[in-house]
Amino acid sequence: MPEGDTVWQTAQRLHQALAGSPLTRSDLRVPRLATADLTGRQVLEVVPRGKHLLTRVEGGLTLHSHLRMDGSWQVYGPDERWRGGPHHQIRAVLANTAHTAVGYRLPVLELLRTGDEDRVVGHLGPDLLGPDWDPDEALRRLLADPSRPLGEALLDQRNLAGIGNVYKSELCFLLRVSTWLPIGEVPSPERLVAQAKKLLEANRNRRARVTTAESRRDRRLWVYGRPGRPCLRCGTPVRAADQGSAGQERSTFWCPSCQAGPRGPGPS
């Protein structure tokens, strides 16, 4: 699932493949960009901002994309077969003489002036993997609404950018608190921010996300995706339930023995 570490890795791959060379092919397959052509322009850099990707090109333009749940960018060599999905799912193709970057199932793809990037990312809080990381500002934003459930506050990218549903559940488990606990009641909330930074930093260069220090595939995460299975710490069955306002619910996983505080709905 694309979260801050996944987006950071994607940006690195795209930057290495495209930056410093002019584009020999530009194919943006969304209606509003049907006439846009970046061919001949040099890619200057590809940078992540939370869960957003900013591909900056010559002429003061930025191609903004967001992966959300199912999107991906794949990089291929000149003669390599594209394997990211059926062709009707391709939303963007950017190529130079050495590499081709193909964007599959991208729910957000837009071209804007680089000077206008704040229009799409200016609302974001400090980026856990970015040069703007500011733990004090992230903590201030998290605590601005002390009654808000912890899980919902962590997923709000306006507070701190880069945490998704996996890290939300894993982070709360590591801190032994419920995702339904009001953020203002979290003991030593500065530990929450520090642990979030530590988790994403530890995983930004890994191919497989790990929060447990275990190498086995079925033991890499403490609770996420493990409903009904024994907690890796105490053996109690892990529970799962939806959390969030209507229409924005996200699955939450937790151990009812290890994590103190309010409980969610019954087990799924």
Side-chain angles (χ1 to χ4, degrees):
M1 183 177 296
E3 302 199 15
D5 53 349
T6 305
V7 175
W8 190 90
Q9 292 172 14
T10 300
Q12 300 308 300
R13 290 197 303 272
L14 290 174
H15 181 85
Q16 291 170 9
L18 300 177
S21 298
L23 292 172
T24 57
R25 181 179 178 183
S26 164
D27 185 1
L28 305 178
R29 302 181 185 181
V30 296
R32 64 184 174 279
L33 298 180
T35 60
D37 186 4
L38 301 177
T39 303
R41 296 177 187 259
Q42 180 171 296
V43 174
L44 304 178
E45 60 182 344
V46 183
V47 298
R49 182 71 172 87
K51 299 182 183 182
H52 300 253
L53 284 162
L54 303 171
T55 302
R56 296 169 180 156
V57 300
E58 231 177 359
L61 295 177
T62 295
L63 184 66
H64 167 234
S65 58
H66 195 295
L67 306 181
R68 289 190 181 164
M69 296 290 288
D70 302 315
S72 72
W73 279 96
Q74 305 294 329
V75 176
Y76 304 107
D79 301 317
E80 192 174 354
R81 184 173 63 88
W82 299 358
R83 304 177 304 277
H87 276 233
H88 72 266
Q89 293 181 348
I90 294 173
R91 298 292 177 267
V93 180
L94 300 175
N96 55 34
T97 56
H99 300 97
T100 298
V102 185
Y104 292 89
R105 301 170 299 279
L106 300 175
V108 175
L109 188 69
E110 58 183 325
L111 191 63
L112 64 153
R113 303 296 304 180
T114 301
D116 294 334
E117 287 178 358
D118 273 357
R119 179 171 63 80
V120 293
V121 296
H123 64 288
L124 298 175
D127 186 342
L128 283 154
L129 294 178
D132 71 325
W133 174 241
D134 182 341
D136 294 331
E137 175 62 15
L139 184 60
R140 185 193 70 78
R141 292 187 181 212
L142 282 168
L143 296 177
D145 184 358
S147 63
R148 194 174 190 188
L150 172 58
E152 295 178 35
L154 287 173
L155 288 182
D156 190 337
Q157 302 298 295
R158 296 170 297 182
N159 292 331
L160 67 172
I163 289 182
N165 216 32
V166 177
Y167 283 119
K168 174 199 73 176
S169 295
E170 295 294 293
L171 183 59
C172 291
F173 177 85
L174 287 168
L175 295 176
R176 295 178 175 261
V177 293
S178 165
T179 61
W180 283 272
L181 183 70
I183 181 69
E185 297 179 23
V186 173
S188 303
E190 65 278 1
R191 289 179 54 240
L192 172 74
V193 174
Q195 185 68 58
K197 173 71 168 174
K198 181 179 179 180
L199 280 182
L200 268 76
E201 285 281 1
N203 281 286
R204 69 177 184 176
N205 289 313
R206 287 176 175 160
R207 296 184 64 181
R209 188 176 291 142
V210 178
T211 61
T212 64
E214 293 269 3
S215 58
R216 277 178 43 185
R217 183 172 183 176
D218 62 340
R219 298 176 68 89
R220 291 173 182 162
L221 301 176
W222 289 105
V223 290
Y224 183 84
R226 305 185 74 250
R229 300 179 65 187
C231 170
L232 296 177
R233 179 182 284 153
C234 74
T236 302
V238 172
R239 291 173 60 177
D242 287 340
Q243 181 180 16
S245 56
Q248 298 183 349
E249 302 93 337
R250 300 292 299 278
S251 296
T252 287
F253 302 86
W254 78 100
C255 172
S257 296
C258 291
Q259 293 173 255
R263 302 297 185 213
S268 61

